[in-house]
Amino acid sequence: SLFGSEIPVVSEYEGIPQFAEFSDIWPKLSGLQNLEKAAPVVSGLAKISIGRFSVNSALFGVEPDSYFYVNKDIKIASGKPALISEQGVFLNSVIAAQAEEELGRPLKPGEAILLSMYSQGSFKLREGYFAGVHQYVSRTEALDRVVLVDPMLLRALSGYTLGNRLKNADNTLPEDDNFDLDELFSTSRDIITDGAEETSLGQLEAKLADTEERDLAASVDESAWSFVLLKAKPGARNRLKKEVEALIKELSPNIRLLSWRDAAGISALLLFALQYVFYIGLGFISLGAILVIMNALVISVLERVPEIGTMRSLGAGRPFIRNIFMLESLLLTGGSAMAGLIIAIIASTLMAKAGIKLQNPLLISLFGGATLQPSFDLFSVLMHIAMALMAASVSWIYPVRLAMRIKPVNAMNG
């Protein structure tokens, strides 16, 4: 997901590997016809320390202009997003509140923030400064730990160096069944030199003093990213998906294209699974409503058996009897549906004005915010009426079939 591998492997969490093909794909990706904006991001996990306060966080190294354009719903509580590009650190509002409570004072702009990361058996430390506070629309445990930082700061912390890119390059041996490893050393020969050609200690020191190649390999790779967020033009999501898939097929099979649901990780998938459970529950409620209506109509039919027999003996045909019960079912169900709509609209309006504060993180994630404000629209109203009429249409079938089985003579005698 966006936060790396969320399954512990040997008691550690794996981050997202470096996007090695970024330099090749970016010029073509940014020029796609159906793309509105692309935002590359560096991802990593680290500990944030401010004085005696510390917390484990998910770090996103971002370019402010592109990132906040793609994610327009992010609220800026304080600070200027442009400062992120100058080794600034934008804390999540939850982390900022926890830090101020722990420190017993407000956070100061420009205050030093220490970032530490453990990887490959060693600790890495980098220092940024407090630049502001951001806030996501919906609170979840994962989002509450997201901190936005300077991409160069996170690259240095994550070890995204030019040497790392070279190390990850394709340096495998030829896949040839006749390949012999010993042939690589077939031309090796011992070299015998006289004393005049021996290397002196001064020459060796001079050679080791040249650190240009080593420094280049250890320098931070400015083109290193973890993933790219793509924002499609309105109504062009599927077309953009096809364009990106074709581009990936052309350049590299190692790149993965994910929908935002898959990229959001396990926590989001669990929420959608829970949402489907609610839908299944609503389906059972609808089925129960149909059974209740059907049961009421059956009782109504049985109570009017003599009337049905009398009408049939006077010449009323099956369609006439069927239409009577169908109309009655539609009137009762439609009237009840309209009464329910009126009550729901009044209740929703009052609840929206007051607002229902949610404390449970699961409910906050499920409803997309800490305040529940019910609303309605024309589509929901029409859908409610359509479902009520459909339930009424299904409910009268069995009672009418039951009525049609009664012979006129038996009905009149009954």
PDB file of all heavy atoms in Angstrom, residues 325-342:
ATOM      1  N   PHE A 325     -56.112  -6.131  -5.826  1.00  0.00           N
ATOM      2  CA  PHE A 325     -55.108  -6.375  -4.780  1.00  0.00           C
ATOM      3  C   PHE A 325     -53.780  -5.676  -5.095  1.00  0.00           C
ATOM      4  O   PHE A 325     -53.089  -5.186  -4.203  1.00  0.00           O
ATOM      5  CB  PHE A 325     -54.892  -7.877  -4.604  1.00  0.00           C
ATOM      6  CG  PHE A 325     -55.975  -8.551  -3.812  1.00  0.00           C
ATOM      7  CD1 PHE A 325     -56.992  -9.231  -4.441  1.00  0.00           C
ATOM      8  CD2 PHE A 325     -55.992  -8.470  -2.430  1.00  0.00           C
ATOM      9  CE1 PHE A 325     -57.994  -9.847  -3.709  1.00  0.00           C
ATOM     10  CE2 PHE A 325     -56.989  -9.085  -1.693  1.00  0.00           C
ATOM     11  CZ  PHE A 325     -58.003  -9.772  -2.328  1.00  0.00           C
ATOM     12  N   MET A 326     -53.426  -5.626  -6.368  1.00  0.00           N
ATOM     13  CA  MET A 326     -52.186  -4.942  -6.732  1.00  0.00           C
ATOM     14  C   MET A 326     -52.288  -3.449  -6.419  1.00  0.00           C
ATOM     15  O   MET A 326     -51.350  -2.852  -5.872  1.00  0.00           O
ATOM     16  CB  MET A 326     -51.889  -5.151  -8.216  1.00  0.00           C
ATOM     17  CG  MET A 326     -50.571  -4.511  -8.673  1.00  0.00           C
ATOM     18  SD  MET A 326     -50.193  -4.829 -10.404  1.00  0.00           S
ATOM     19  CE  MET A 326     -51.487  -3.858 -11.174  1.00  0.00           C
ATOM     20  N   LEU A 327     -53.432  -2.843  -6.740  1.00  0.00           N
ATOM     21  CA  LEU A 327     -53.622  -1.427  -6.462  1.00  0.00           C
ATOM     22  C   LEU A 327     -53.616  -1.156  -4.961  1.00  0.00           C
ATOM     23  O   LEU A 327     -53.019  -0.176  -4.497  1.00  0.00           O
ATOM     24  CB  LEU A 327     -54.939  -0.953  -7.092  1.00  0.00           C
ATOM     25  CG  LEU A 327     -55.265   0.539  -6.930  1.00  0.00           C
ATOM     26  CD1 LEU A 327     -54.174   1.387  -7.573  1.00  0.00           C
ATOM     27  CD2 LEU A 327     -56.625   0.858  -7.535  1.00  0.00           C
ATOM     28  N   GLU A 328     -54.260  -2.050  -4.216  1.00  0.00           N
ATOM     29  CA  GLU A 328     -54.274  -1.882  -2.759  1.00  0.00           C
ATOM     30  C   GLU A 328     -52.861  -1.965  -2.193  1.00  0.00           C
ATOM     31  O   GLU A 328     -52.457  -1.168  -1.335  1.00  0.00           O
ATOM     32  CB  GLU A 328     -55.153  -2.957  -2.123  1.00  0.00           C
ATOM     33  CG  GLU A 328     -55.215  -2.864  -0.605  1.00  0.00           C
ATOM     34  CD  GLU A 328     -55.972  -4.019   0.013  1.00  0.00           C
ATOM     35  OE1 GLU A 328     -55.913  -5.137  -0.533  1.00  0.00           O
ATOM     36  OE2 GLU A 328     -56.618  -3.803   1.047  1.00  0.00           O
ATOM     37  N   SER A 329     -52.084  -2.928  -2.685  1.00  0.00           N
ATOM     38  CA  SER A 329     -50.698  -3.085  -2.216  1.00  0.00           C
ATOM     39  C   SER A 329     -49.860  -1.859  -2.533  1.00  0.00           C
ATOM     40  O   SER A 329     -49.097  -1.366  -1.696  1.00  0.00           O
ATOM     41  CB  SER A 329     -50.089  -4.331  -2.862  1.00  0.00           C
ATOM     42  OG  SER A 329     -48.726  -4.446  -2.542  1.00  0.00           O
ATOM     43  N   LEU A 330     -50.032  -1.331  -3.756  1.00  0.00           N
ATOM     44  CA  LEU A 330     -49.260  -0.156  -4.152  1.00  0.00           C
ATOM     45  C   LEU A 330     -49.649   1.068  -3.333  1.00  0.00           C
ATOM     46  O   LEU A 330     -48.788   1.860  -2.933  1.00  0.00           O
ATOM     47  CB  LEU A 330     -49.457   0.113  -5.642  1.00  0.00           C
ATOM     48  CG  LEU A 330     -48.844  -0.905  -6.607  1.00  0.00           C
ATOM     49  CD1 LEU A 330     -49.228  -0.575  -8.043  1.00  0.00           C
ATOM     50  CD2 LEU A 330     -47.329  -0.939  -6.463  1.00  0.00           C
ATOM     51  N   LEU A 331     -50.951   1.240  -3.073  1.00  0.00           N
ATOM     52  CA  LEU A 331     -51.401   2.397  -2.292  1.00  0.00           C
ATOM     53  C   LEU A 331     -50.892   2.338  -0.858  1.00  0.00           C
ATOM     54  O   LEU A 331     -50.396   3.334  -0.322  1.00  0.00           O
ATOM     55  CB  LEU A 331     -52.929   2.473  -2.319  1.00  0.00           C
ATOM     56  CG  LEU A 331     -53.563   2.907  -3.643  1.00  0.00           C
ATOM     57  CD1 LEU A 331     -55.088   2.820  -3.569  1.00  0.00           C
ATOM     58  CD2 LEU A 331     -53.137   4.318  -4.005  1.00  0.00           C
ATOM     59  N   LEU A 332     -51.007   1.150  -0.228  1.00  0.00           N
ATOM     60  CA  LEU A 332     -50.565   1.029   1.163  1.00  0.00           C
ATOM     61  C   LEU A 332     -49.051   1.210   1.274  1.00  0.00           C
ATOM     62  O   LEU A 332     -48.560   1.955   2.136  1.00  0.00           O
ATOM     63  CB  LEU A 332     -50.975  -0.338   1.718  1.00  0.00           C
ATOM     64  CG  LEU A 332     -52.475  -0.558   1.959  1.00  0.00           C
ATOM     65  CD1 LEU A 332     -52.749  -1.993   2.380  1.00  0.00           C
ATOM     66  CD2 LEU A 332     -52.985   0.411   3.012  1.00  0.00           C
ATOM     67  N   THR A 333     -48.322   0.519   0.405  1.00  0.00           N
ATOM     68  CA  THR A 333     -46.851   0.601   0.481  1.00  0.00           C
ATOM     69  C   THR A 333     -46.350   1.981   0.068  1.00  0.00           C
ATOM     70  O   THR A 333     -45.455   2.551   0.707  1.00  0.00           O
ATOM     71  CB  THR A 333     -46.220  -0.464  -0.430  1.00  0.00           C
ATOM     72  OG1 THR A 333     -46.787  -1.732  -0.126  1.00  0.00           O
ATOM     73  CG2 THR A 333     -44.721  -0.526  -0.219  1.00  0.00           C
ATOM     74  N   GLY A 334     -46.928   2.550  -1.007  1.00  0.00           N
ATOM     75  CA  GLY A 334     -46.519   3.878  -1.435  1.00  0.00           C
ATOM     76  C   GLY A 334     -46.830   4.946  -0.404  1.00  0.00           C
ATOM     77  O   GLY A 334     -46.004   5.832  -0.144  1.00  0.00           O
ATOM     78  N   GLY A 335     -48.013   4.858   0.208  1.00  0.00           N
ATOM     79  CA  GLY A 335     -48.351   5.821   1.263  1.00  0.00           C
ATOM     80  C   GLY A 335     -47.423   5.713   2.452  1.00  0.00           C
ATOM     81  O   GLY A 335     -46.972   6.724   3.014  1.00  0.00           O
ATOM     82  N   SER A 336     -47.097   4.484   2.853  1.00  0.00           N
ATOM     83  CA  SER A 336     -46.162   4.289   3.972  1.00  0.00           C
ATOM     84  C   SER A 336     -44.763   4.803   3.621  1.00  0.00           C
ATOM     85  O   SER A 336     -44.068   5.388   4.465  1.00  0.00           O
ATOM     86  CB  SER A 336     -46.094   2.806   4.331  1.00  0.00           C
ATOM     87  OG  SER A 336     -47.364   2.319   4.702  1.00  0.00           O
ATOM     88  N   ALA A 337     -44.357   4.575   2.358  1.00  0.00           N
ATOM     89  CA  ALA A 337     -43.039   5.049   1.936  1.00  0.00           C
ATOM     90  C   ALA A 337     -42.971   6.575   1.977  1.00  0.00           C
ATOM     91  O   ALA A 337     -41.960   7.160   2.414  1.00  0.00           O
ATOM     92  CB  ALA A 337     -42.731   4.553   0.529  1.00  0.00           C
ATOM     93  N   MET A 338     -44.028   7.250   1.536  1.00  0.00           N
ATOM     94  CA  MET A 338     -44.042   8.710   1.565  1.00  0.00           C
ATOM     95  C   MET A 338     -44.032   9.230   2.997  1.00  0.00           C
ATOM     96  O   MET A 338     -43.333  10.206   3.314  1.00  0.00           O
ATOM     97  CB  MET A 338     -45.280   9.229   0.831  1.00  0.00           C
ATOM     98  CG  MET A 338     -45.276   8.957  -0.672  1.00  0.00           C
ATOM     99  SD  MET A 338     -43.811   9.630  -1.510  1.00  0.00           S
ATOM    100  CE  MET A 338     -44.046  11.380  -1.182  1.00  0.00           C
ATOM    101  N   ALA A 339     -44.800   8.562   3.883  1.00  0.00           N
ATOM    102  CA  ALA A 339     -44.783   8.967   5.296  1.00  0.00           C
ATOM    103  C   ALA A 339     -43.392   8.774   5.895  1.00  0.00           C
ATOM    104  O   ALA A 339     -42.893   9.628   6.646  1.00  0.00           O
ATOM    105  CB  ALA A 339     -45.816   8.152   6.071  1.00  0.00           C
ATOM    106  N   GLY A 340     -42.742   7.667   5.529  1.00  0.00           N
ATOM    107  CA  GLY A 340     -41.381   7.432   6.020  1.00  0.00           C
ATOM    108  C   GLY A 340     -40.403   8.462   5.501  1.00  0.00           C
ATOM    109  O   GLY A 340     -39.501   8.908   6.226  1.00  0.00           O
ATOM    110  N   LEU A 341     -40.564   8.879   4.233  1.00  0.00           N
ATOM    111  CA  LEU A 341     -39.690   9.902   3.664  1.00  0.00           C
ATOM    112  C   LEU A 341     -39.829  11.233   4.389  1.00  0.00           C
ATOM    113  O   LEU A 341     -38.837  11.898   4.695  1.00  0.00           O
ATOM    114  CB  LEU A 341     -40.023  10.094   2.176  1.00  0.00           C
ATOM    115  CG  LEU A 341     -39.319   9.176   1.187  1.00  0.00           C
ATOM    116  CD1 LEU A 341     -39.842   9.414  -0.214  1.00  0.00           C
ATOM    117  CD2 LEU A 341     -37.812   9.398   1.235  1.00  0.00           C
ATOM    118  N   ILE A 342     -41.076  11.621   4.666  1.00  0.00           N
ATOM    119  CA  ILE A 342     -41.310  12.899   5.352  1.00  0.00           C
ATOM    120  C   ILE A 342     -40.667  12.884   6.726  1.00  0.00           C
ATOM    121  O   ILE A 342     -39.978  13.831   7.130  1.00  0.00           O
ATOM    122  CB  ILE A 342     -42.819  13.177   5.452  1.00  0.00           C
ATOM    123  CG1 ILE A 342     -43.405  13.396   4.045  1.00  0.00           C
ATOM    124  CG2 ILE A 342     -43.091  14.392   6.320  1.00  0.00           C
ATOM    125  CD1 ILE A 342     -44.914  13.496   4.020  1.00  0.00           C
TER     126      ILE A 342
END
